[in-house]
Amino acid sequence: MKILGIDTSCDDTSAALVADGNKILSSIVSSQSDIHKKYGGIVPELASRRHIEMIWPVVDGALNNAGITLDDIDAIAVCYGPGLIGSLLVGCGFAKSIAYAKEIPIVAVNHLEGHIFSVFLEHEKIEFPFLSLIASGGHTSLYIVNGFGQYVELGRTRDDAAGEAYDKVAKLLGLGYPGGPVIDKLAREGNPKAFDFPRAYVPESFDFSFSGLKTAVKLAISSQQSAININDIAASFQAAVVDVLIRKVEWAIVRKGIKKIALSGGVSANSELRRRMKEMAEEREVELFLPSLPFCTDNAAMIASAGYHHFKAGNIAGINLNPKAYLPL
Ligand code: KG4
Ligand code: ZN
């Protein structure tokens, strides 16, 4: 069964062909980073305009790379939220047009469900239940995944997402957008103990909070002025983020007794988080499932993977499908 996945929820235009929910036939992600870089964050209007320009070339490219045409696909899975409404409208409008013209069923996928299901693209054998940490630019949430459609949210961020904190700190340091990859790189040359930045552990809760950390970094930068060592700030900031993410996952393992962890979202590309999570998983004797770097960040293969399960369950969306900027899982 071949599914065309489409994701335009944020600033990447992506399309992928996935067979049987886990075999990637092709996957294309067209990044808009160069457009948004100079603003230090995503400009929603520019994002939706660029999606309009790129959606057909990206879908066409994904079909060509898979060596198939629209006549060969069984369903279109499109991300309908959460995300930037103008961006989502482009993907949903495009998917509905093709579905209507070619009489192909359409399934609607929640972006977070896509991130959860990204693990199946590279680890076919993972079994339920597993813990899923989604750490991205828009979300930081921890779930117990008991099966398709069975998600228990343990916690989520009360303010900034982890990736958002990376992006905001990068902006303060004049490092452009997105902040994660560049801070990850600079942190390798810095001292993680140079600054004692706060860790918001939010006692007795699986929730996260990163806005105080961002403010602490801002204060440190303004008090250092010209003597500022960017590498030390990056390393100390990153140590604080990673400490919190590791502690919460570890706590969930102990409290919930779950022996498998899957990471997803852009922040799961972070080298220090991956290193420390592997160490912790070994110590606790739990299985860790890490996506390869292209499947950490937004992609449409994960939407096709989750869409496959919706399709099998008969969850077909109508031509009146409307995207939603706010869409809890
Ligand atoms: O999953 P994603 O592509 O989009 C959302 O759904 O938000 O995540 C993008 C986020 C950005 O905030 C970016 O700075 C962060 O992931 N990111 C990283 C790294 N690579 C991307 N954060 C930390 N370290 C990285 N290596
Ligand atoms: Zn995402």
Side-chain angles (χ1 to χ4, degrees):
M1 187 184 295
K2 296 187 187 75
I3 309 244
L4 166 65
I6 295 177
D7 187 289
T8 60
S9 56
C10 197
D11 61 332
D12 292 323
T13 317
S14 40
L17 269 307
V18 174
D20 305 328
N22 56 21
K23 295 173 201 72
I24 303 162
L25 306 180
S26 65
S27 176
I28 296 188
V29 178
S30 168
S31 168
Q32 299 184 358
S33 298
D34 285 347
I35 294 173
H36 303 287
K37 203 178 254 166
K38 56 178 173 285
Y39 304 102
I42 299 164
V43 182
E45 179 63 22
L46 296 181
S48 37
R49 285 171 191 230
R50 187 65 178 157
H51 283 307
I52 292 172
E53 289 167 0
M54 293 312 296
I55 186 76
W56 176 241
V58 166
V59 169
D60 195 36
L63 288 165
N64 284 337
N65 289 357
I68 61 173
T69 71
L70 285 174
D71 295 323
D72 302 312
I73 64 175
D74 297 284
I76 300 172
V78 65
C79 168
Y80 76 117
L84 300 171
I85 195 65
S87 293
L88 290 164
L89 276 164
V90 178
C92 284
F94 182 86
K96 287 196 293 184
S97 314
I98 298 184
Y100 183 69
K102 302 291 282 181
E103 296 182 6
I104 303 169
I106 187 167
V107 290
V109 176
N110 183 307
H111 185 79
L112 298 172
E113 192 173 37
H115 274 303
I116 289 174
F117 272 78
S118 63
V119 67
F120 291 99
L121 295 167
E122 296 172 296
H123 305 281
E124 218 175 301
K125 300 228 156 59
I126 183 167
E127 282 168 8
F128 302 111
F130 60 87
L131 279 173
S132 178
L133 173 71
I134 304 178
S136 71
H139 307 273
T140 301
S141 304
L142 189 58
Y143 296 93
I144 298 176
V145 182
N146 287 313
F148 170 66
Q150 297 169 42
Y151 317 118
V152 179
E153 187 187 270
L154 296 179
R156 62 163 73 186
T157 184
R158 295 187 179 180
D159 39 58
D160 291 349
E164 189 179 355
Y166 269 94
D167 296 336
K168 286 179 175 170
V169 165
K171 192 174 180 182
L172 290 171
L173 293 169
L175 299 172
Y177 173 86
V182 56
I183 290 184
D184 190 351
K185 197 162 161 227
L186 296 177
R188 286 175 211 155
E189 310 298 324
N191 173 6
K193 297 204 167 106
F195 295 87
D196 187 17
F197 289 135
R199 277 85 168 144
Y201 287 117
V202 196
E204 293 308 309
S205 159
F206 288 106
D207 282 352
F208 303 89
S209 166
F210 293 105
S211 69
L213 170 60
K214 172 199 63 195
T215 308
V217 173
K218 192 175 178 183
L219 288 173
I221 294 171
S222 55
S223 66
Q224 298 269 302
Q225 295 188 349
S226 56
I228 174 176
N229 182 326
I230 291 190
N231 295 348
D232 284 351
I233 297 236
S236 303
F237 158 76
Q238 179 161 283
V241 175
V242 171
D243 276 354
V244 171
L245 294 175
I246 299 276
R247 171 79 68 92
K248 291 279 157 164
V249 172
E250 193 169 16
W251 195 43
I253 290 167
V254 173
R255 282 272 180 114
K256 305 290 173 185
I258 294 181
K259 293 285 187 188
K260 294 177 213 79
I261 322 159
L263 259 52
S264 65
V267 180
S268 59
N270 186 267
S271 58
E272 183 64 4
L273 178 66
R274 293 168 82 93
R275 187 185 71 73
R276 297 256 322 266
M277 198 64 86
K278 275 183 203 160
E279 259 178 26
M280 187 274 283
E282 260 173 45
E283 268 168 35
R284 294 268 171 202
E285 296 181 351
V286 297
E287 269 184 288
L288 174 64
F289 298 89
L290 288 172
S292 58
L293 298 193
F295 295 104
C296 290
T297 43
D298 286 351
N299 63 87
M302 68 186 199
I303 302 297
S305 176
Y308 165 79
H309 295 276
H310 279 290
F311 187 56
K312 275 209 324 187
N315 300 338
I316 308 297
I319 208 72
N320 56 351
L321 169 69
N322 271 325
K324 294 186 170 65
Y326 175 71
L327 183 66
L329 189 60

